[in-house]
Amino acid sequence: MSHLKLFAATLKWHGVKLLEKQDIARKVFLHGLRYASSGTSEPFLSGSNSNYVEEMYYAWLENPKSVHKSWDLFFRNANAGQAYDPHLPNQLERKASFLQSHGLAQTPGKAEKLVEDHLAVQSLIRAYQIRGHHVAQLDPLGILDADLDSFVPSDLITTIDKLGFYGLHESDLDKVFQLPTTTFIGGNENSLSLREIIKRLENTYCQHIGLEFMFINDVEQCQWIRQKFETPGVMKFTNEEKRTLLARLVRSMRGRLNVLANVIRKELEQIFCQFDPKLEAADEGSGDVKYHLGMYHERINRATNKKITLSLMANPSHLEAVDPVVQGKTKAEQFYRGDTAGKKVMSILLHGDAAFAGQGVVYETFHLSDLPSYTTNGTIHVVVNNQIGFTTDPRMARSSPYPTDVARVVNAPIFHVNADDPEAVMYVCSVAAEWRNTFNKDVVVDLVCYRRRGHNEMDEPMFTQPLMYKQIHKQVPVLKKYADKLIADGTVTLQEFEEEIAKYDRICEEAYTRSKDNKILHIKHWLDSPWPGFFNVDGEPKSMSCPPTGISEDLLTHIGNVASSVPVKDFRIHAGLSRILRARLEMTKNRVVDWALAEYMAFGSFLKEGIHVRLSGQDVERGTFSHRHHVLHDQEVDKRTCVPMNHLWEQQAPYTVCNSSLSEYGVLGFELGFAMASPNALVCWEAQFGDFHNTAQCIIDQFISSGQAKWVRHNGIVLLLPHGMEGMGPEHSSARPERFLQMSNDDSDAYPEFSEQFEVSQLYECNWIVVNCSTPANYFHVLRRQILLPFRKPLIILTPKSLLRHPEAKSSFDEMVAGTTFQRVIPENGLAAHAPHEVKRVIFCTGKVYYDLVKERKNQDLEKQVAITRLEQISPFPFDLLKEELEKYPGADLVWCQEEHKNSGYYDYVKPRFRTIVNHTRPIWYVGREPAAAAATGNKNTHLVSLRRFLDTAFNLEAFEGKTF
């Protein structure tokens, strides 16, 4: 404990409790000072010394600026109060002895000087701990300050005259000062001369390592870091460790290739063959450039002689987009191993300096780090800080001093290190790993280095950074620097170094020769997340069929009953929720489900089958529209909750439902990564409104839509996107189905060949599935089908809002029992279907608009003349079933009706496919809202007027007479 804290705590030892109110604080404070303990010697806090302090205290109360700043600091801390320390009596005696040994105990002036000097030294030590990194020698090039600021903090002793800042002088340099417990620079010594204190602080904080940690609000964590870096001689390596480090430097390559070759241990010949432009691809899909490919490999950890599995995630050029994906996969791997403390699985994220500072998803990912359902128990972030972003100078690329400042938001320590000092880098990385293992918190290692060449093989950096690259061209490579150092100190000989280089050259030459024999590229060899046993040995589905998705009525009833109950005793729920649960029970008794109950049944059935279900997103526990209520809250006990889904059976898979942070990009990426780890889980992400998925567009475009084509990576993630035109405005209406349909890979002009396996084969060949269900039963079935398929594809579900409580939007158990299945198309089954040749018009639609059409048809008494057919699965397009429908009504007008505007929604997708089915012999007319820039109107009246207009057109049987398609 420092002198300052000792003094304040001593007052408490004398029975003083300093309160916040000044008048009480004054009386109590001074009473403590007047206390005199028994003993032969006069204690420091009594007698003349006490009178002196009392005078100082009164002066301070009148005007804090009237006393020396060290006293001001002391009295402020004293008034704030400190914790009692039972060892204070002994510490007080030691302090008194220390004072007397300096001949100052009885002299107020000398006592004040001693106290001031010790406080000053403690402030000096703290200054280095807080700001030493600003003057650390971090830039290998020596031309820029890593913090973008050449300002030298005035409280660091960079020159002797700066001692005056603390009221110290050059004559004080050889005085001995007792060290506070907040530093470890003394090692086994309790006191050092001021000269030695400054020297050790300089060595710790101002050389090749810069430490940022004093913003952390946990004293234990700060002490841990201080001990790791301040303890004298702590950063020492054995000769064997140095030789190993040199050998690793010999093997170093550029960027991602270095990770593949030397960390993951990918075979060199497979890396070399990637550079052959004549290499043919053997797998389906388009593939990706070599710098984006991932890898999964099991190797031996030579330190422990145990196997370790390494997975390098494939990633796009969209910088930092892979961060939350890695975190999600890490979380899943921990979950399936029961690794709740992160002792078996961990993640390491590699960043670039410009991207780390510039990409918002970095911030989103950090904010997931300590959330219960998202934490990975600490991540090591390694920033490769080239001090440049492509061609952009860091002074133009960020407003923060360091590229790593974003990490401060989660109290992650930041270790800056000059990357031209390999031993410093190794030590910092070792401490980072130990930090993560000790505290299960994130940590950042900032490797301050330089990019020897341009952004890529053909880039010329001298165009934009001439001074930097003039220096880089002069720069001695780190391998030579370190080799020269070890040769000079006798750790290795020049001959041993040259032999190491020759040895690795031979390894590379032999691998390059073997690589010429590879004429075919197998992308599967670069898979980052294999699913052992799910596919056959060739990586293909074990079958091309899907069993019925219905379940037994007993199972439906049991799930319905649990969904209607509170399976925890003495649990008080909200009265409104009691009504909802009673309504669920009534539906179960009547063999009927609404949307929420159908979802409950699908999820619950998987849990019985051992399939983990995870639902994540903003407010998903209750549901944005207050329909789900998967987490019940005790109305009288804070944080007491109940998840009935986890009480279905004694032996069941766990159900995870978790409200996310208010993030789409980061959270969707996380759930994508979670779904990547295992095919035997249903992982769902729900947008609060479908409109909001566009802030996660990068994850959708670069991973979900194209992930299999680029990386042969299957993924079964489910996106639940609330969608529907209801006059709620342009940001609460549309999930933008047109975007998903535009990115679907089926060919609108190719007429397919139909077979018994057509439905499943079509699903296998698509890149994702887009559905807009109109019934709860079909929603139930499409969720069930997602897991029962022999492969995995992303599933995009446009979910309803008003249909959640629509009286007609209910399904019978008969539509969900064993033997039933998902209906890609729901054909007309009313009067029109019984006399198809009399039908004048067939309206094709999808989703909620069906209920508007049915109501209007009944109002106009056109149930015999107009058939309404629903597309439940929009993509891949159900050519086979729609062909049957079109042939069923040969004399009818064909109309596509949608509630979305013409330039959005589905029309541009379905029109050419309908035309392909009829071989361009019949038109498919459009009915719906006119094109618009905004997705929907925010005016309720405008919404209703446009609805009325297109419903009138839909049932005007002469609307298209005389018109040319």
Side-chain angles (χ1 to χ4, degrees), residues 5 52 60 142 178 201-202 337 345 367 374 580 635 655 667 708 758 765 798 815 875:
K5 291 182 179 179
Y52 172 74
W60 177 79
Q178 185 151 346
L201 290 171
E202 290 279 343
R337 288 170 171 80
V345 183
H367 268 283
Y374 301 88
I580 293 172
Q635 296 297 296
Y655 173 52
V667 174
Q708 184 178 350
F758 175 73
E765 291 168 3
L798 304 169
E815 301 169 62
S875 180

Side-chain angles (χ1 to χ4, degrees), residues 238-282:
T238 66
N239 284 347
E240 186 58 35
E241 288 172 330
K242 292 178 181 179
R243 293 165 70 93
T244 301
L245 179 51
L246 181 64
R248 293 293 179 267
L249 285 173
V250 167
R251 293 171 175 248
S252 61
M253 300 180 186
R254 177 174 175 169
R256 192 176 183 89
L257 298 181
N258 188 57
V259 176
L260 284 166
N262 295 321
V263 180
I264 309 296
R265 298 295 172 88
K266 180 73 174 174
E267 296 89 340
L268 289 175
E269 53 264 38
Q270 288 204 29
I271 295 176
F272 289 143
C273 77
Q274 284 283 310
F275 289 85
D276 185 351
K278 298 178 181 178
L279 201 64
E280 298 177 9

Side-chain angles (χ1 to χ4, degrees), residues 555 559 603-611 648-649 651-653:
L555 201 54
I559 297 172
F603 289 177
S605 65
F606 283 137
L607 301 179
K608 181 175 177 59
E609 296 165 12
I611 301 296
L648 287 167
W649 296 277
Q651 299 293 325
Q652 67 168 73

Side-chain angles (χ1 to χ4, degrees), residues 627-827:
H627 67 289
R628 183 172 286 126
H629 297 287
H630 283 189
V631 179
L632 311 181
H633 293 259
D634 193 307
Q635 296 297 296
E636 297 184 8
V637 182
D638 184 35
K639 296 183 180 179
R640 188 182 185 215
T641 60
C642 170
V643 181
M645 194 90 74
N646 281 322
H647 295 266
L648 287 167
W649 296 277
E650 287 188 11
Q651 299 293 325
Q652 67 168 73
Y655 173 52
T656 302
V657 56
C658 43
N659 292 339
S660 73
S661 64
L662 201 64
S663 154
E664 289 84 29
Y665 191 168
V667 174
L668 178 56
F670 187 97
E671 301 308 329
L672 176 78
F674 200 102
M676 202 177 290
S678 171
N680 299 314
L682 183 71
V683 180
C684 307
W685 174 76
E686 182 174 72
Q688 192 157 59
F689 284 85
D691 316 60
F692 302 159
H693 78 74
N694 58 6
T695 61
Q697 198 69 46
C698 180
I699 297 296
I700 293 169
D701 291 355
Q702 307 311 130
F703 292 89
I704 300 177
S705 169
S706 57
Q708 184 178 350
K710 294 191 293 188
W711 306 317
V712 200
R713 177 206 281 164
H714 285 243
N715 196 295
I717 190 169
V718 178
L719 272 62
L720 305 176
L721 307 177
H723 173 82
M725 306 293 118
E726 287 146 353
M728 295 180 68
E731 280 79 51
H732 296 85
S733 299
S734 178
R736 293 293 188 178
E738 65 276 6
R739 295 181 180 172
F740 294 98
L741 296 174
Q742 182 196 33
M743 290 189 284
S744 296
N745 66 353
D746 61 331
D747 190 344
S748 62
D749 301 320
Y751 190 81
E753 295 183 7
F754 303 132
S755 65
E756 290 184 7
Q757 298 178 336
F758 175 73
E759 176 183 354
V760 177
S761 297
Q762 193 184 33
L763 292 173
Y764 180 66
E765 291 168 3
C766 75
N767 61 319
W768 56 18
I769 304 163
V770 182
V771 303
N772 188 358
C773 300
S774 61
T775 70
N778 233 17
Y779 177 52
F780 163 86
H781 283 297
V782 79
L783 290 173
R784 295 268 306 156
R785 186 184 72 171
Q786 186 69 356
I787 292 297
L788 295 179
L789 284 169
F791 47 81
R792 294 290 175 264
K793 298 285 178 174
L795 173 61
I796 316 300
I797 305 180
L798 304 169
T799 56
K801 294 175 290 181
S802 62
L803 290 190
L804 295 173
R805 293 178 177 82
H806 197 292
E808 302 298 320
K810 287 186 169 63
S811 297
S812 166
F813 277 15
D814 294 335
E815 301 169 62
M816 303 163 66
V817 293
T820 57
T821 189
F822 175 70
Q823 293 180 271
R824 292 175 290 148
V825 172
I826 302 180

Side-chain angles (χ1 to χ4, degrees), residues 284-296:
E284 78 276 5
S286 55
D288 202 351
V289 299
K290 51 188 167 287
Y291 297 114
H292 292 175
L293 298 177
M295 180 60 189
Y296 181 93

